[in-house]
Amino acid sequence: MDLCSLPEGCISQIISLTSPKDASRSSAASSIFRWASDSDVVWDKFLPSDYSEILSRSVSPVEFSSKKELYFRLCHPILIDEGKISFCLERSSGKKCYMLSSRELCIIWGDTPRYWQWISLPESRFSEVAELLAVCWLDIKGKIDTRMLSRKTNYAAYAVLKFQPNIYGFEVRPANLSVKLGGQESERSVILKPNTARRSRRIGAISRRLDAVDRLIGWRQTPILSARSYEGQVLRVRSDGWMEIEMGEFFNDEGDEGEVEMSLMEVNGGQWKKGLIVEGIEIRPRA
């Protein structure tokens, strides 16, 4: 049967059962497919069911003349909840993505001016980001309700960071990254500096010496991972100029498992640190 012989409404219904990527491709098949694939019937199915509620939380009005236009507008981040969270859709699937700004995170001593300061950067989507001035106890946590996320989706959380030229104190001790949801827990350790892999052998040797010293003086700490454990745990440069490190992953089933808890910590060595800039934590579908 020739699909082009079907009524436009039937074609729209068929296309709505595919994906945003397939719908965009089908528009090239013929003029009737183009009209059908542009219809609100199609793109309403690809938008999240709570898109109206999300738009009501937007800092700025989101203007659109069709559901397709709205869909692709939401493929670029919009600020919601007084500018503390950004929301967007993954272009190919329509899955929800969020970034919690540093103001939405719990940063220990974050409001103590001698330890952290809040600055504005033109390259950030948020009005403020957190700059680390000096701490020996790095403790950053974030939470998001699973009801906000797309169901039946594998997600990963990413810490989004920058480094000042005067960065100090992150060369030796690995930071502990974790993501927890109900009985799911994902943990890893990483040195929060670029080019980690190339430094891993030297870092491992230094860490073992520090472990011996700590045991002598009775400093309680968790074991340092071997140099091999650091390999591949490098920061990636994002298209927006920031850097990111994956914190962990989880599966959001029906969205009824409560809150996802994410943390970035380095609290064991007593090492003073500075020069880290935190934009936030992004939660997006796992590639």
Side-chain angles (χ1 to χ4, degrees), residues 60-72:
S60 302
V62 179
E63 299 180 356
F64 58 95
S65 58
S66 68
K67 295 294 179 63
K68 181 178 181 180
E69 183 180 351
L70 174 60
Y71 179 91
F72 284 105

Side-chain angles (χ1 to χ4, degrees), residues 249-270:
E249 61 183 312
F250 63 95
F251 179 70
N252 188 43
D253 192 7
E254 294 295 334
D256 57 1
E257 294 188 68
E259 291 182 318
V260 183
E261 301 177 0
M262 303 155 286
S263 70
L264 187 163
M265 301 177 66
E266 200 292 281
V267 299
N268 295 310

Side-chain angles (χ1 to χ4, degrees), residues 151-180:
R151 297 179 180 180
K152 303 295 183 182
T153 302
N154 284 307
Y155 274 96
Y158 302 83
V160 183
L161 314 165
K162 269 186 182 292
F163 300 102
Q164 295 286 49
N166 66 345
I167 183 172
Y168 172 80
F170 291 98
E171 302 89 347
V172 177
R173 301 279 182 191
N176 297 314
L177 310 175
S178 71
V179 174
K180 299 178 182 179

Side-chain angles (χ1 to χ4, degrees), residues 2 7 69 75 85 99 119 126-127 163-164 174 190 205 232 271 277:
D2 184 5
E69 183 180 351
C75 290
I85 298 176
M99 185 187 290
I119 61 174
F126 302 111
S127 61
F163 300 102
Q164 295 286 49
V190 63
Q271 174 72 48
I277 300 175

Side-chain angles (χ1 to χ4, degrees), residues 57-59 79-86 101 103 125-128:
R57 294 155 57 193
S58 177
V59 171
L79 294 179
I80 62 174
D81 296 354
E82 300 179 339
K84 295 180 181 180
I85 298 176
S86 74
S101 72
R103 276 296 189 190
R125 67 185 66 178
F126 302 111
S127 61
E128 291 182 304

Side-chain angles (χ1 to χ4, degrees), residues 20-38:
K21 186 176 183 180
D22 291 333
S24 297
R25 287 174 172 174
S26 67
S27 64
S30 68
S31 58
I32 192 169
F33 267 80
R34 183 171 62 253
W35 295 329
S37 64
D38 286 347

Side-chain angles (χ1 to χ4, degrees), residues 5-237:
S5 65
L6 293 173
E8 182 182 325
C10 290
I11 298 175
S12 294
Q13 289 290 345
I14 293 170
I15 295 174
S16 71
L17 299 175
T18 61
S19 69
K21 186 176 183 180
D22 291 333
S24 297
R25 287 174 172 174
S26 67
S27 64
S30 68
S31 58
I32 192 169
F33 267 80
R34 183 171 62 253
W35 295 329
S37 64
D38 286 347
S39 73
D40 281 355
V41 171
V42 171
W43 293 94
D44 188 61
K45 291 290 184 66
F46 298 149
L47 288 165
S49 59
D50 59 346
Y51 76 85
S52 295
E53 189 269 335
I54 293 170
L55 292 179
S56 71
R57 294 155 57 193
S58 177
V59 171
S60 302
V62 179
E63 299 180 356
F64 58 95
S65 58
S66 68
K67 295 294 179 63
K68 181 178 181 180
E69 183 180 351
L70 174 60
Y71 179 91
F72 284 105
R73 172 66 185 87
L74 293 180
C75 290
H76 301 277
I78 63 170
L79 294 179
I80 62 174
D81 296 354
E82 300 179 339
K84 295 180 181 180
I85 298 176
S86 74
F87 168 84
C88 70
L89 298 176
E90 186 184 57
R91 191 180 187 91
S92 63
S93 67
K95 301 288 188 178
K96 297 177 183 178
C97 310
Y98 290 90
M99 185 187 290
L100 309 180
S101 72
S102 50
R103 276 296 189 190
E104 189 69 10
L105 304 177
C106 176
I107 302 177
I108 298 300
W109 296 320
D111 291 322
T112 305
R114 64 179 293 188
Y115 299 130
W116 291 85
Q117 70 175 353
W118 296 88
I119 61 174
S120 297
L121 292 179
E123 62 267 32
S124 175
R125 67 185 66 178
F126 302 111
S127 61
E128 291 182 304
V129 295
E131 180 184 5
L132 173 59
L133 299 180
V135 294
C136 62
W137 185 284
L138 181 67
D139 189 341
I140 301 172
K141 292 184 174 67
K143 293 182 179 180
I144 188 168
D145 195 312
T146 55
R147 291 175 296 181
M148 296 172 60
L149 304 172
S150 298
R151 297 179 180 180
K152 303 295 183 182
T153 302
N154 284 307
Y155 274 96
Y158 302 83
V160 183
L161 314 165
K162 269 186 182 292
F163 300 102
Q164 295 286 49
N166 66 345
I167 183 172
Y168 172 80
F170 291 98
E171 302 89 347
V172 177
R173 301 279 182 191
N176 297 314
L177 310 175
S178 71
V179 174
K180 299 178 182 179
L181 172 60
Q184 305 177 58
E185 183 171 354
S186 179
E187 294 183 307
R188 62 185 60 194
S189 295
V190 63
I191 296 292
L192 288 178
K193 285 199 71 173
N195 304 318
T196 294
R198 288 184 295 185
R199 294 187 175 95
S200 62
R201 188 178 301 277
R202 177 174 60 85
I203 290 166
I206 295 172
S207 296
R208 286 190 292 273
R209 290 198 294 271
L210 285 174
D211 284 343
V213 172
D214 287 339
R215 285 194 295 270
L216 286 173
I217 63 177
W219 187 278
R220 183 179 181 275
Q221 66 173 78
T222 56
I224 296 294
L225 299 184
S226 67
R228 179 172 296 181
S229 299
Y230 302 136
E231 293 177 5
Q233 301 290 345
V234 293
L235 290 146
R236 294 188 293 268
V237 179

